[in-house]
Amino acid sequence: MNAQSVAISLDLINRHYQEPNRNRFESKYFWEELYKLISTAGFRSIEIPYEPVWQFGGRSGVPMNRYCINTKYGSATSYREFLTHCGVERVTGLTFDPNLFMRNDNINFYFGATGHFAGEAIDHAADLGADYLAISPSPFYGRIRQYHPDLENEIASFTERTVELLSALATKAEERGVKLVLRNEYWSLFGADRIDPLLARLPDSVLLDLDPASLFVAGIAASDFLDAHIGRIGCVHLTDTSFVDTDDIWKTPNPEFPLNHATQVFRDPGTGSVDLIGLAKALEQQGYDGPVVCSARQTRDPFRALLRTRALLNQI
């Protein structure tokens, strides 16, 4: 694995629990300075979370959907040119989280909105020249159950509609030259080894994300997951954690912030208990040459996280 080609995800910025303040994070100047800092930290490519919420609030400074990019830069092409000027040469991929749309007991709303905006994300990924769209195949298990208390009796029908949704998105992704990748988050209805039956029902073009922190929480070794799925790994996220789920936290409405635990789930890459250096060696031994992205989601200090991540990569 070439550490110099590893991308950094913009999920290291989160307005919910970071300083200085929300208004600054929602301003164009903040991000334009960040790109230069990302480049200075040695990263030449980025991953962008696709977040439709930013086009609803009247603020377009956050570069996380098509509307915001077109509003601030005119087009994806102009945005890419600006990134290059800042030292960021490409957008490796996009991610998509459907939790925003699990907000009531109307299941048709969830699938309709998710399909629409995930399709928009695929188009945006193509316009940006990205390799993939990594989509969470479901919201948090606990969030679904919050609005659908009878979830255990509805899993079959929910799965059926998820297969239909993802199959349609896979077709569109192929048409646009983008890989559709399933994220394997431990809190998902299809997390851990529950992803396998879902994957078996999807087109061969649908690939998997390798997320070692989520696998660690679920008690699955990243190397074992890699061995079992090497032919369908579409991207790798270098994520870290020391959290062990002994209380079925994955079934709660907000599993990123565990109940009755004075902790959060994720840590900056290289500061947790996941053997990321060992995983990098395993990727090299398997001949994996696809996208690799560092994710410092939940970091309290994104600028420190950039340097911590680079310090890790310097050991690989």
Side-chain angles (χ1 to χ4, degrees), residues 65-77 124 127:
N65 63 55
R66 205 176 197 183
Y67 165 81
C68 294
I69 294 299
N70 291 341
T71 298
K72 294 301 186 183
Y73 298 94
S75 67
T77 299
H124 191 50
D127 292 343

Side-chain angles (χ1 to χ4, degrees), residues 248-313:
D248 278 347
I249 297 297
W250 73 273
K251 291 185 176 182
T252 61
N254 193 15
E256 285 194 87
F257 294 90
L259 291 169
N260 304 319
H261 289 264
T263 185
Q264 59 192 48
V265 173
F266 297 100
R267 296 191 178 186
D268 294 350
T271 65
S273 301
V274 178
D275 182 9
L276 294 176
I277 295 175
L279 176 59
K281 293 178 180 177
L283 290 169
E284 188 168 348
Q285 291 170 356
Q286 289 281 11
Y288 176 79
D289 60 357
V292 179
V293 181
C294 287
S295 170
R297 63 186 296 168
Q298 287 195 313
T299 186
R300 299 292 180 174
D301 186 340
F303 311 107
R304 190 177 188 181
L306 280 173
L307 296 181
R308 281 175 164 172
T309 303
R310 178 49 59 189
L312 167 70
L313 293 177

Side-chain angles (χ1 to χ4, degrees), residues 54-267:
W54 299 108
Q55 70 188 65
F56 304 137
R59 298 298 296 270
S60 56
V62 183
M64 292 186 176
N65 63 55
R66 205 176 197 183
Y67 165 81
C68 294
I69 294 299
N70 291 341
T71 298
K72 294 301 186 183
Y73 298 94
S75 67
T77 299
S78 296
Y79 177 63
R80 291 171 63 186
E81 290 173 354
F82 180 81
L83 288 177
T84 301
H85 174 74
C86 295
V88 177
E89 297 169 359
R90 68 187 307 264
V91 177
T92 297
L94 273 65
T95 61
F96 186 87
D97 178 358
N99 270 290
L100 174 66
F101 306 116
M102 181 53 67
R103 56 193 309 144
N104 53 45
D105 61 359
N106 186 344
I107 199 68
N108 293 322
F109 171 81
Y110 165 75
F111 281 104
T114 299
H116 171 79
F117 286 105
E120 188 177 82
I122 289 172
D123 286 330
H124 191 50
D127 292 343
L128 290 172
D131 289 332
Y132 63 84
L133 174 71
I135 185 171
S136 303
S138 88
F140 300 148
Y141 174 95
R143 189 174 178 88
I144 305 173
R145 193 171 61 178
Q146 184 175 16
Y147 295 109
H148 301 272
D150 198 30
L151 175 59
E152 289 300 322
N153 293 324
E154 298 175 1
I155 286 179
S157 61
F158 190 94
T159 301
E160 193 66 36
R161 294 196 66 174
T162 300
V163 169
E164 293 174 5
L165 169 68
L166 294 175
S167 296
L169 291 174
T171 298
K172 177 165 188 169
E174 278 197 285
E175 292 171 351
R176 295 305 314 270
V178 174
K179 297 172 185 174
L180 185 69
V181 178
L182 299 187
R183 305 196 77 175
N184 189 18
E185 296 145 325
Y186 80 96
W187 53 61
S188 170
L189 182 63
F190 307 105
D193 53 8
R194 299 184 300 279
I195 196 77
D196 293 329
L198 177 66
L199 185 67
R201 298 185 59 187
L202 295 172
D204 292 341
S205 62
V206 178
L207 304 176
L208 286 173
D209 173 35
L210 196 165
D211 179 342
S214 279
L215 292 171
F216 181 94
V217 176
I220 299 173
S223 57
D224 291 343
F225 187 88
L226 176 64
D227 290 341
H229 299 287
I230 182 60
R232 292 190 78 168
I233 300 295
C235 64
V236 175
H237 282 87
L238 297 183
T239 53
D240 210 345
T241 186
S242 291
F243 179 68
V244 178
D245 189 1
T246 58
D247 300 312
D248 278 347
I249 297 297
W250 73 273
K251 291 185 176 182
T252 61
N254 193 15
E256 285 194 87
F257 294 90
L259 291 169
N260 304 319
H261 289 264
T263 185
Q264 59 192 48
V265 173
F266 297 100
R267 296 191 178 186

